[in-house]
Amino acid sequence: MLNPQRLRVLQAVVAAGSIQAAARNLHYSPATISQHLSALARETDLVLFERDGRGIRPTSAAQHLAEHAAEALAGLDRLARLAEDLRHGRSTHLSIACFSSASQQWLPDAITAARRVERELTVEVSLNEPHAAPGPRPADIDIRNEVPEEVETHLEGYTREVLMLEELHAVLPADHDLAGQGSVSMSQLSQEMWVDHDIHDSPTGRIIRSACQAAGYSPVFSARLDDHHAALSLIRAGLGITVLPPLALLDMPEGLVVRQLSDPTPVRRIVAHVRTSQASSPVVVAALSSLQHQATTTSPS
């Protein structure tokens, strides 16, 4: 079995680019770093570094080993945290994965409800956006959005709970020509410059593009990013329009208006996947009940 500490030293040297820099970062001596690398080379029977002028450079084997060590070391970190929690009596955890707007709007009440049940509860929240890294523990509740026209997602070891169907709305500058209308058709947005808030191709982005295609066009973007808050700031600056779900519009900046969409009306489905082994846990039940209640009352301001 490979020594975890030596793998961490390898990662540090590959990331820092030199033994001296890694030694400073890890608060080790360069000699200690060299000893760890030599021992790891013997353990693996691999050439890990080559001379490069007065320094060294990692071989492809070292780069691959450092990259693939990350998952194993993360697992060891999780075990270490679990052991520490058990030593201090913190054995109750709730792990929630969700997308960013649900994290901002729904989780404060859901976590509060769960901690009313268990005062010593530790809640871990991770984003499940397409570009996000997984959380440190398997999610007890995994909140996702889906394209209603696509095949339903069923996660192994989880049950599905549909929280809501949510109609998406147009967001316009307050002085826009369409701002005076009560609702806007998708075709009326065909000549507009768009601000894309979903550069990583999540379900919401696919829903919006599908609605544009159904109206006979593909949107032209003035900017593309992966944060709806930043997108709203760009629209306020006059850089275009966008389409967002109400859950992302509960804290609207001044200078913007929200209008319903038609022909077609884009809709997303929000689902909570509950880990079957934890479905009867009182803290999971309390958090899920809060999510269900909030889903029925969500509306843009």
Side-chain angles (χ1 to χ4, degrees):
M1 181 177 294
L2 299 182
N3 183 295
Q5 184 57 25
R6 291 168 187 160
L7 290 173
R8 296 185 195 279
V9 169
L10 172 67
Q11 288 183 318
V13 175
V14 170
S18 73
I19 289 176
Q20 290 74 17
R24 288 194 299 270
N25 294 339
L26 296 177
H27 303 288
Y28 289 169
S29 70
T32 299
I33 296 290
S34 296
Q35 290 168 6
H36 278 302
L37 294 179
S38 297
L40 183 60
R42 291 194 298 270
E43 284 180 345
T44 59
D45 196 23
L46 293 171
V47 176
L48 299 176
F49 291 89
E50 299 172 333
R51 287 291 175 187
D52 184 17
R54 299 179 63 181
I56 61 172
R57 68 167 178 266
T59 63
S60 61
Q63 292 173 332
H64 279 89
L65 188 60
E67 177 183 352
H68 289 282
E71 183 177 352
L73 293 174
L76 290 175
D77 287 340
R78 289 195 293 270
L79 285 175
R81 286 196 296 272
L82 174 60
E84 182 181 3
D85 289 342
L86 292 173
R87 281 196 303 272
H88 292 86
R90 299 191 301 265
S91 58
T92 302
H93 286 81
L94 174 64
S95 178
I96 301 176
C98 60
F99 49 93
S100 60
S101 56
S103 174
Q104 179 183 4
Q105 301 297 346
W106 285 351
L107 290 197
D109 283 351
I111 292 172
T112 298
R115 295 194 82 254
R116 288 195 192 102
V117 175
E118 175 54 67
R119 293 183 61 185
E120 300 300 320
L121 179 69
T122 299
V123 182
E124 295 180 348
V125 178
S126 60
L127 292 181
N128 55 17
E129 308 278 9
H131 59 289
R137 303 171 191 269
D140 299 311
I141 302 176
D142 192 327
I143 309 166
R144 304 189 181 194
N145 54 68
E146 298 179 343
V147 182
E149 292 75 22
E150 294 180 0
V151 176
E152 291 182 354
T153 299
H154 291 267
L155 304 181
E156 185 176 357
Y158 289 77
T159 58
R160 280 171 57 90
E161 175 74 29
V162 177
L163 295 177
M164 68 183 301
L165 290 174
E166 187 179 35
E167 295 185 356
L168 276 62
H169 298 329
V171 184
L172 315 166
D175 59 357
H176 194 281
D177 290 343
L178 299 175
Q181 298 183 188
S183 65
V184 175
S185 70
M186 288 298 302
S187 61
Q188 286 180 292
L189 303 178
S190 62
Q191 301 304 310
E192 300 291 333
M193 295 300 297
W194 286 59
V195 174
D196 182 14
H197 53 81
D198 188 30
I199 198 171
H200 291 288
D201 191 36
S202 78
T204 300
R206 297 200 298 275
I207 291 166
I208 294 170
R209 288 194 297 277
S210 178
C212 291
Q213 291 167 2
Y217 66 95
S218 295
V220 177
F221 298 108
S222 64
R224 303 191 70 200
L225 54 160
D226 63 357
D227 179 84
H228 69 272
H229 296 291
L232 292 173
S233 296
L234 296 184
I235 295 162
R236 187 181 181 187
L239 291 173
I241 61 93
T242 198
V243 169
L244 279 166
L247 193 58
L249 300 174
L250 296 179
D251 298 312
M252 280 280 292
E254 295 181 1
L256 301 178
V257 296
V258 177
R259 295 294 178 262
Q260 292 182 329
L261 282 168
S262 62
D263 303 322
T265 299
V267 176
R268 74 172 178 176
R269 181 170 56 227
I270 301 180
V271 177
H273 300 268
V274 181
R275 191 148 62 109
T276 305
S277 62
Q278 299 297 316
S280 61
S281 164
V283 296
V284 170
V285 170
L288 181 60
S289 177
S290 171
L291 292 169
Q292 291 167 329
H293 172 73
Q294 293 181 84
T296 63
T297 59
T298 296
S299 62
S301 58

